[in-house]
Amino acid sequence: MSNNQPVIAALAAVLTDLSTDQIIEKLEAPKSSELGDVAFPTFTLAKTLHKAPQQIASDIVDKIDQNGFEKVVATGPYVNFFLDKYATSNQTIKTIIDLKGAYGDNANGNGANVTIDMSSPNIAKPMSMGHLRSTVIGNALANITKKNGFNPVKINHLGDWGTQFGKLIYAYKTWGSEAEVKADPIATLLRYYVEFHEKAKEDDSLNDQGRAWFKKLEDGEEAHQLWQWFRAESLKEFTQIYDRLDIEFDSFNGEAFYNDKMDKVVDILTEKDILVKSQGAQIVDLSAINPNLTPAMIKRSDGATLYMTRDLAAAIYRKETYDFAKSLYVVGGEQREHFVQMKAVLSLMGFDWADDVEHIAFGLITFNGKKMSTRKGDVVLLKDVLDDAHELALKQIEEKNPELQNKPLVAEQVGAGAVVFHDLMNDRTNNFDFNLEEVVRFEGDTGPYVQYTNARAKSILRKANTEIDPTTLNLNDDSTWDIVTTLNHFPQTVERAWQQREASIIAKYALTLSRAFNKYYANSKILTADDQLNARLALVQAVSIVLTESLRLLGVKAPEEM
């Protein structure tokens, strides 16, 4: 809960037609502290009150009880509250120290399940930087989901089925060797896959061989044993990456899991009489829902099912298994039409929960302006990026703090954290180019900057080496107000990050708080022994608690020292 209760109470006494929740939803932080500490916009009231927003704001200010505030003013269409600095500072800091990491928690979700389809690499290929976004956005959203009172269910929908495995098995059987695969499983399998595509350019009959082996895979036999081996080796390698990113999953049910669940989809579509034959294939015509939508293909002319069939089966299975309140798919923006089609088909099937399915789209990462492609083999491996980030972090730690204990562990936390934070500080729908040296800097808008700020706060508390008493605060220093108002906005920030499904809101918040604290640190003697020492240390502790929690929500570690 935030410390905006006086604002909420004052508005509720005047705006009797609005619920407390409706008032809370509208509250925002003014663009500048000169405009106030909390703003209430009146645009949405214009329709019901039949007045201009500016007039509504002015009327509210005339009626509102200003006791407990420095002042309340109307600025255009906004009611701007200037909080009592002394009372707000002390209450905010005390609340944070009392609640610790639970500060900002809310129970909005009432424990309802939210399934999150995320990461989902293809087996028999290494995880590339192309998998980073789905993995870290999904993980951060899961943490934010839980902070908002829901129960996240993280599903790694592995790409573990399809014709590509027929091609891979053909390549292995034709020019591969068991010893080679055992020596370096995933790199070797990737080499076979790339080699297959190079040879298939010259000899198209290889594609027929690949399809034939996939048919053998569907029928079981030796091909299925090879597939199980490739899958097991892939999961071992994926797990090493997930461990470095500190990410766990509730389910690894991938495409193959739904092989026996697709007939149910076809049966429902047939019963509803919405499966139509078109050029030998079976489709669902979606023009009645949206004339711009192309038909959803359910079965090819050869009877094979497609991604759509499998995703429909997965959606139904997840609803039946988890009874989700929301089902999130953290998948690249280029798949937008697929999810629009999928929701449309689910609606036609009579599932009213189709509206609870959400595509959490994201933009591309490029390396030096180039998109990455596994088929061509020009792929940037996530493991290599994490290794390089570790080395860059270690080099900077050696320069800044050569006496630091556990340097390799801290370098891993900083390096991996830098890669994760950089991804998440970008609005997820934006494309961005990746430059590792910029990402792992200890200065600027980076993860290491936030980690370093937090480590600095912890260092001050260690040097003080005193028990902080949060019940007797007397903080009335104007220079701390930017920090306090930022701390006060954390609970609203958590809610907004969930409402917008946008982890960058937390990352940008962490940068804002870090900048405010570093400005204060540069201009204040925090450890001076005077009557405000306890209050200043309490402020430092509150900053560290909220920075640590912000980093945790993003999936980034907070080292004690750097």
Side-chain angles (χ1 to χ4, degrees), residues 262-275 316 320 345-346 348-351:
M262 288 183 286
D263 286 348
K264 180 176 179 178
V265 172
V266 176
D267 289 347
I268 296 171
L269 291 170
T270 305
E271 277 170 35
K272 298 269 182 187
D273 200 23
I274 48 179
L275 206 54
I316 294 165
E320 290 174 349
V345 176
L346 287 168
L348 287 172
M349 291 170 87
F351 296 121

Side-chain angles (χ1 to χ4, degrees), residues 238-253:
F238 296 162
T239 300
Q240 289 174 8
I241 299 284
Y242 294 136
D243 285 350
R244 291 181 73 174
L245 296 172
D246 198 25
I247 294 175
E248 294 179 342
F249 294 91
D250 301 295
S251 165
F252 282 93
N253 289 339

